[in-house]
């Protein structure tokens, strides 16, 4: 036994090395297994996210619907009725935006596609005039690339690849539709049984952790929920204000598609900082089918309103709600977008804001304790 005790660290190191070697040799299988597990949990993760967003509306409806009722039929139907009203609210918003924006977007894209041959002909004429005026601009390789035969060849190649992209995109859309559907059902169950789930979570933490850890976990959870909730509410209000400002200003300047562009700006404005540029490009493309001058005026108006919104409205509504300086908001959007795309942009700001609040709170406590010494 004494010899075994002496060689115990060595045996542990050999076993650990063997496990690491086996993991390195089967790294592809391990990665596939992890990916399969994550894929299996995607509907639950999506459902938890949907439940969190819906709960923002559910809590507010419950404050209006018999808030003092603690029993009886009113108490029993308050949660389901609040959930139904939340679904109706989101559905009405989505329907209004789709009703106002999609038809005009489709119409604008059809105009662009129909006018593409004429635009290409005008572009070739302009290039020919440029090469005749400036001989140094004449480049045979460039002219061959822009020739009709080359364009047809590239179009065929992209058409062949486009079929594969469309099939893959349809598969992805179908998969995400199924995940969202299952997640929606999971979200409904979570919201209907929210109090029991929270109580079970607290009991589990109390059973396996000390009182200090229980208080710390409760504090972190409370800060995270409050920050995320305030961010989403503030971002929605900011996007709504920006959309209304754009719509009214374009209407005053008698610019086409004012309501449609306002809806697009309001929808893309939900993405922090970068969303307005996406909506601005879409609106400019729509107005280019009507009048290039209107598109130019629109770009100028949008930039002026964006400066007003980013310097006066956004800091007051969103900045104060999450308590995050503008520098870190920008950094959170960039890093989150690089890691997770649009989803990362949406959750990056409240996530960084939560970490920022917890860090500053801990720093204040440590400084206060040091000063007390």
């Amino acid at each position: 036994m004494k010899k075994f005790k002496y060689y115990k660290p060595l045996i542990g190191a050999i076993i650990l090395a063997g496990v690491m070697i086996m993991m390195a040799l089967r790294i592809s299988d391990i990665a596939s297994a992890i990916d399969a597990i994550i894929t299996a949990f995607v509907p639950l993760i999506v459902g938890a996210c949907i439940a969190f967003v819906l709960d923002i509306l559910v809590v507010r409806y419950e404050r209006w619907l018999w808030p003092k009722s603690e029993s009886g039929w009113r108490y029993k139907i308050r949660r389901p009725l609040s959930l139904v009203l939340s679904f109706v609210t989101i559905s009405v918003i989505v329907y209004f935006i789709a009703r106002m924006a999609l038809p005009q977007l489709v119409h604008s894209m059809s105009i662009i596609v129909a006018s593409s041959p004429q635009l290409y002909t005008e572009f070739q004429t302009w290039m020919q005039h440029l090469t005749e005026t400036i001989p140094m601009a004449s480049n045979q390789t460039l002219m061959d690339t822009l020739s009709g035969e080359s364009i047809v060849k590239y179009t065929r190649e992209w058409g062949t690849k486009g079929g594969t992209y469309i099939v893959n995109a349809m598969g992805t859309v179908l998969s995400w539709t199924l995940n969202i559907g299952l997640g929606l059902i999971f979200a409904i169950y979570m919201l209907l049984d929210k109090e029991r789930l929270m109580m079970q979570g607290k009991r589990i933490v109390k059973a396996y952790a000390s009182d200090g850890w229980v208080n710390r976990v409760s504090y972190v959870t409370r800060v995270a929920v409050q920050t995320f909730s305030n961010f989403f509410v503030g971002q929605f209000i900011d996007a709504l204000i920006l959309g209304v400002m754009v719509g009214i200003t374009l209407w005053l300047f008698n610019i086409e598609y004012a309501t449609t562009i306002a809806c697009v700006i309001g929808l893309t404005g939900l993405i922090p900082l970068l969303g307005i540029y996406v909506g601005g490009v879409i609106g400019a493309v729509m107005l280019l089918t009507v009048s290039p001058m209107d598109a130019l005026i629109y770009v100028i108006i949008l930039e002026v309103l964006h400066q007003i919104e980013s310097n006066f409205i956004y800091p007051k509504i969103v900045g104060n709600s999450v308590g995050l300086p503008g520098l870190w908001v920008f950094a959170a959007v960039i890093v989150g977008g690089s890691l997770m795309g649009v989803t990362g942009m949406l959750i990056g700001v409240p996530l960084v804001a939560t970490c920022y609040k917890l860090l500053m709170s801990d720093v204040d406590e440590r400084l206060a304790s040091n000063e007390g010494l």
Side-chain angles (χ1 to χ4, degrees):
M1 295 296 295
K2 292 183 179 179
K3 292 184 178 180
F4 176 78
K5 184 178 181 180
Y6 178 77
Y7 289 110
K8 186 176 180 181
L10 179 60
I11 294 173
I14 293 174
I15 294 175
L16 179 61
V19 172
M20 294 180 65
I21 292 173
M22 290 296 297
M23 291 178 63
L25 294 175
R26 305 299 296 272
I27 187 66
S28 60
D29 296 335
I30 295 174
S32 300
I34 295 175
D35 183 68
I37 294 173
I38 294 175
T39 303
F41 277 89
V42 165
L44 303 184
I45 297 173
V46 172
C49 296
I50 295 174
F52 181 84
V53 175
L54 282 176
D55 189 56
I56 297 174
L57 292 174
V58 170
V59 169
R60 283 159 175 77
Y61 277 122
E62 287 183 339
R63 293 175 184 172
W64 299 339
L65 298 172
W66 312 296
K68 297 182 180 180
S69 298
E70 299 294 336
S71 60
W73 64 271
R74 294 178 178 176
Y75 176 77
K76 291 181 180 179
I77 70 168
R78 183 172 61 187
R79 177 64 54 78
L81 182 58
S82 300
L83 189 58
V84 171
L85 291 175
S86 301
F87 276 114
V88 171
T89 302
I90 295 177
S91 300
V92 168
I93 294 174
V94 173
Y95 173 78
F96 176 77
I97 294 175
R99 179 77 175 178
M100 298 301 299
L102 286 181
Q104 296 298 338
L105 285 174
V106 173
H107 177 67
S108 300
M109 293 303 298
S110 63
I111 293 176
I112 293 174
V113 172
S115 59
S116 296
Q118 181 180 356
L119 293 175
Y120 173 69
T121 303
E122 294 177 356
F123 176 74
Q124 277 192 321
T125 305
W126 178 79
M127 284 294 298
Q128 185 67 31
H129 177 71
L130 181 65
T131 55
E132 292 176 355
T133 306
I134 307 176
M136 293 181 63
S138 178
N139 189 307
Q140 188 61 37
T141 303
L142 178 62
M143 297 303 295
D144 292 339
T145 303
L146 297 175
S147 65
E149 295 179 357
S150 299
I151 297 296
V152 172
K153 179 181 177 181
Y154 295 147
T155 304
R156 288 176 179 175
E157 292 178 357
W158 279 104
T160 304
K161 296 179 181 179
T164 305
Y165 294 150
I166 291 174
V167 172
N168 294 335
M170 290 178 63
T172 303
V173 170
L174 181 62
S175 175
W176 273 103
T177 301
L178 180 61
N179 289 333
I180 292 174
L182 295 175
L184 189 59
I185 297 174
F186 183 69
I188 294 174
Y189 279 103
M190 287 186 65
L191 291 175
L192 291 177
D193 211 13
K194 179 175 64 173
E195 286 77 11
R196 181 182 299 180
L197 291 174
M198 294 174 61
M199 184 61 65
Q200 289 176 350
K202 291 181 180 179
R203 287 173 57 85
I204 292 174
V205 175
K206 288 182 179 180
Y208 293 98
S210 61
D211 293 338
W213 273 101
V214 171
N215 295 332
R216 186 173 300 178
V217 170
S218 299
Y219 173 70
V220 171
T221 304
R222 185 169 61 253
V223 171
V225 171
Q226 182 181 4
T227 303
F228 273 76
S229 177
N230 292 340
F231 169 76
F232 286 122
V233 173
Q235 193 68 34
F236 175 79
I237 295 174
D238 177 75
L240 179 62
I241 293 175
L242 180 61
V244 172
M245 290 170 56
V246 171
I248 293 176
T249 308
L250 295 181
W251 177 74
L252 292 176
F253 279 84
N254 197 26
I255 294 178
E256 294 285 341
Y257 306 144
T259 307
T260 301
I261 294 176
C263 293
V264 173
I265 293 296
L267 180 62
T268 57
L270 295 174
I271 303 174
L273 297 181
L274 302 180
I276 188 172
Y277 296 105
V278 177
V281 171
I282 296 175
V285 170
M286 293 174 59
L287 290 176
L288 282 173
T289 61
V290 178
S291 171
M293 183 56 65
D294 286 352
L296 178 60
I297 296 174
Y298 159 73
V299 171
I300 296 174
I301 291 174
L302 185 63
E303 182 59 28
V304 173
L305 295 179
H306 174 52
Q307 293 300 321
I308 296 174
E309 180 265 344
S310 60
N311 290 293
F312 298 101
I313 300 175
Y314 191 87
K316 295 294 182 182
I317 297 178
V318 180
N320 291 341
S321 64
V322 300
L324 191 65
L327 174 63
W328 298 115
V329 172
F330 183 76
V333 171
I334 297 299
V335 176
S338 300
L339 294 177
M340 301 177 61
V342 177
T343 304
M345 293 181 183
L346 289 175
I347 68 174
V349 174
L351 182 61
V352 173
T354 302
C355 297
Y356 181 82
K357 286 184 178 180
L358 295 175
L359 177 61
M360 291 298 101
S361 176
D362 186 66
V363 169
D364 292 338
E365 291 180 1
R366 290 176 181 272
L367 292 176
S369 62
N370 292 335
E371 291 176 0
L373 293 176

